[in-house]
Amino acid sequence: MKRCTHNNVYTDCSPAAANAGFIRPPIDKRLAATTPSGRRTAEPLATQQDAMSNGWSFPGPLVLPDDDLALDPEYPPQSLKSWLSYNKKMPITAERNTIYVVPPPEITNSVKKMTKDWEKPHVPRESVTAGLPEGIPLPTTDDVCNYLRAFYHKMTIKKHEGKFRWQAWDSGSAKGPKYMGLATPKPSEELIGVRYRQSPDGIARIQVNLNDVLDALIDRVPPDAYAVVMLTDQDLYEDEDDDFCCGRAYGESRIAVVSSFRYNPALDGYSDIQLEHMWPASHCKSYVDALCDVDKQQPKRAKTSSNSPTTPLTAALNASKAVPNPKTRDELAGMWFSRVARTMAHELGHCLGMDHCVYYACAMQGTAGMAEDVRQPPYLCPVCLSKLSRGLCSFVGSGSVVNLQREFIQQRYNVLRDFCENWKHVAMFAGYQAWIDGRLEENREGVRE
């Protein structure tokens, strides 16, 4: 089958956004959201106005049917001014500037039989992807740490050296929830009871309760840590009504957990993920129109554009399109890792006080499902980047805050680009690198987007 050309794209919200009642903040509100005063004045911006109004650098959120913002179209925006009030309570300092990444807990002999193949999904026959190889390597903690070192430039990223371990748990009763024990490492060793169940959709043999997992982290934040995030290989759920949950952060407690389970490429058919329309091709007009049933419903038309040849979005589209669909174990492992890396950065963003984004297509958008998850970009939009750069610009040097923010953003783009260079065989990272190159070129030309 011939691959889609993505010749026309949506640079703003989809037709479904208006039908859902979502009203995107206009450009004056977006500009004001990047200032500490919360007002649009003559003060300079870390990201210049031309870029913030140009959808070819920073498109609007798509808001497709059943997307997070379609289900909750009045979700309140968070400006830089709002974020600063949080940051005052919990600033990033030289003494507390470290993010600890906890590797997946080890499985002890006491639960090996019970947890056999728990990281492997049970895919319904009708959703099996033909020709998919067995034994795709799981995302590694080391790779996640390397990505976070670039994404959270100027923060220290460390792999947690303590070993968390799954062990047997004696619940004392056959009735009620089932428990496994999660043993915490020295110096505060303890066995935490973690509820588990089979997933309601039958995809996971064992699914553990993320709130219980977070309870094992909450009292074990090292003194120099700004945040702690655990990577798990097993499926998660938050409450009994959930089918599953890929990750969650307790922002004020500075802890998070992320599961790699649902990002497994073996589940793409079950999750209705179209490989050729993951970000950045998620903005493709033909793809969006098909999901919105444009011809059937004839909704209010949204703004589309033909590909502009020299923009970050076009560069990202062309670069990702040049990467063949993954087929080998290593290629599929790279795609699996890219998905987990984006979610890790998102959940840690909550630990840094960033709320879900409604201004642009952005790594801090909320998601309502796996198909939406892979449609969203890995980059931070100008509003969310104003928060991160404001929180970390003091590590760049001294001078005016806005100039330090701009220098931080430039440095961060460079280190992210270097990371993506080593992963350009993966479509998301190839697109991200090309998008960054486009942004750097715009900055050199004085058109900051």
Side-chain angles (χ1 to χ4, degrees):
M1 181 184 294
K2 188 176 180 181
R3 296 184 74 177
C4 182
T5 60
H6 318 308
N7 283 337
N8 294 288
V9 301
Y10 280 93
T11 56
D12 209 323
C13 301
S14 76
N19 293 344
F22 174 76
I23 300 175
R24 184 188 180 195
I27 183 59
D28 62 323
K29 297 291 187 184
R30 284 177 259 155
L31 292 168
T34 65
T35 67
S37 66
R39 298 186 300 274
R40 182 64 189 110
T41 63
E43 60 189 306
L45 305 174
T47 301
Q48 297 289 7
Q49 180 172 339
D50 287 347
M52 295 182 64
S53 60
N54 187 342
W56 283 103
S57 293
F58 293 104
L62 284 172
V63 198
L64 297 177
D66 298 320
D67 276 3
D68 190 62
L69 283 173
L71 299 173
D72 190 5
E74 296 183 1
Y75 193 89
Q78 184 199 47
S79 65
L80 173 62
K81 180 182 179 182
S82 298
W83 177 84
L84 282 170
S85 63
Y86 173 93
N87 189 59
K88 285 178 182 177
K89 300 181 215 175
M90 201 168 296
I92 304 168
T93 64
E95 295 74 29
R96 194 173 63 188
N97 182 40
T98 301
I99 293 173
Y100 283 91
V101 182
V102 180
E106 295 181 354
I107 299 174
T108 63
N109 289 332
S110 63
V111 292
K112 265 190 178 178
K113 184 177 180 180
M114 182 180 72
T115 60
K116 183 181 178 182
D117 294 335
W118 54 261
E119 80 282 1
K120 295 181 181 179
H122 175 72
V123 185
R125 182 172 297 179
E126 65 274 12
S127 300
V128 171
T129 302
L132 198 72
E134 292 284 340
I136 303 169
L138 288 156
T140 71
T141 309
D142 287 338
D143 286 338
V144 167
C145 286
N146 287 334
Y147 180 71
L148 295 176
R149 287 185 184 104
F151 194 92
Y152 289 108
H153 177 58
K154 292 296 183 182
M155 297 193 78
T156 300
I157 311 297
K158 291 182 180 179
K159 183 163 71 171
H160 197 284
E161 296 301 325
K163 292 182 179 180
F164 287 76
R165 304 174 308 282
W166 290 117
Q167 294 184 185
W169 174 274
D170 183 8
S171 63
S173 173
K175 297 180 180 180
K178 296 179 180 179
Y179 285 85
M180 283 195 297
L182 182 56
T184 62
K186 296 179 180 180
S188 53
E189 294 177 282
E190 187 179 358
L191 190 63
I192 307 294
V194 177
R195 287 164 285 175
Y196 73 91
R197 67 179 190 182
Q198 184 179 21
S199 65
D201 59 8
I203 296 297
R205 287 185 60 248
I206 290 180
Q207 189 179 53
V208 299
N209 185 269
L210 69 85
N211 294 313
D212 294 344
V213 174
L214 288 170
D215 283 345
L217 293 179
I218 200 164
D219 293 326
R220 290 160 185 88
V221 178
D224 64 335
Y226 193 87
V228 177
V229 59
M230 176 184 280
L231 175 65
T232 73
D233 296 331
Q234 63 202 98
D235 205 18
L236 299 171
Y237 74 101
E238 188 167 13
D239 56 50
E240 293 303 322
D241 295 329
D242 280 344
D243 282 339
F244 66 89
C245 183
C246 290
R248 185 72 74 231
Y250 289 171
E252 292 191 1
S253 298
R254 297 174 287 131
I255 55 174
V257 61
V258 171
S259 167
S260 64
F261 184 89
R262 294 280 168 165
Y263 295 106
N264 190 327
L267 286 172
D268 283 5
Y270 176 78
S271 302
D272 294 325
I273 291 173
Q274 292 189 25
L275 291 185
E276 68 172 340
H277 286 108
M278 298 188 299
W279 181 88
S282 49
H283 292 266
C284 171
K285 180 181 183 297
S286 61
Y287 170 68
V288 170
D289 285 350
L291 291 178
C292 294
D293 287 332
V294 165
D295 293 335
K296 295 178 184 178
Q297 298 182 12
Q298 295 183 342
K300 180 182 177 181
R301 297 295 296 178
K303 182 180 179 182
T304 63
S305 303
S306 297
N307 255 340
S308 180
T310 58
T311 67
L313 180 57
T314 301
L317 280 164
N318 292 337
S320 64
K321 189 167 62 174
V323 178
N325 283 340
K327 295 180 180 178
T328 68
R329 287 181 179 85
D330 287 345
E331 290 168 346
L332 290 160
M335 181 175 71
W336 193 355
F337 161 61
S338 72
R339 297 169 175 179
V340 172
R342 195 201 70 85
T343 299
M344 275 282 198
H346 172 99
E347 296 302 338
L348 284 168
H350 290 319
C351 291
L352 270 69
M354 290 189 278
D355 200 351
H356 284 155
C357 182
V358 305
Y359 296 100
Y360 294 90
C362 175
M364 287 308 300
Q365 278 184 261
T367 60
M370 302 311 301
E372 180 182 11
D373 196 293
V374 301
R375 288 196 292 260
Q376 293 181 353
Y379 60 74
L380 291 175
C381 78
V383 178
C384 294
L385 191 53
S386 72
K387 301 167 191 173
L388 184 66
S389 61
R390 183 79 178 210
L392 289 169
C393 67
S394 63
F395 293 91
V396 172
S398 59
S400 76
V401 171
V402 169
N403 286 340
L404 291 175
Q405 284 182 274
R406 291 179 176 178
E407 177 60 28
F408 169 82
I409 292 170
Q410 182 81 8
Q411 290 182 15
R412 179 176 176 273
Y413 278 156
N414 285 328
V415 296
L416 275 167
R417 189 201 179 282
D418 290 344
F419 175 88
C420 292
E421 172 68 25
N422 294 322
W423 288 86
K424 60 185 178 184
H425 59 287
V426 177
M428 190 195 84
F429 292 124
Y432 199 6
Q433 180 187 33
W435 182 88
I436 291 169
D437 282 340
R439 289 288 299 111
L440 291 171
E441 180 60 29
E442 287 175 335
N443 287 347
R444 282 190 289 269
E445 295 175 356
V447 182
R448 292 181 176 265
E449 297 189 350

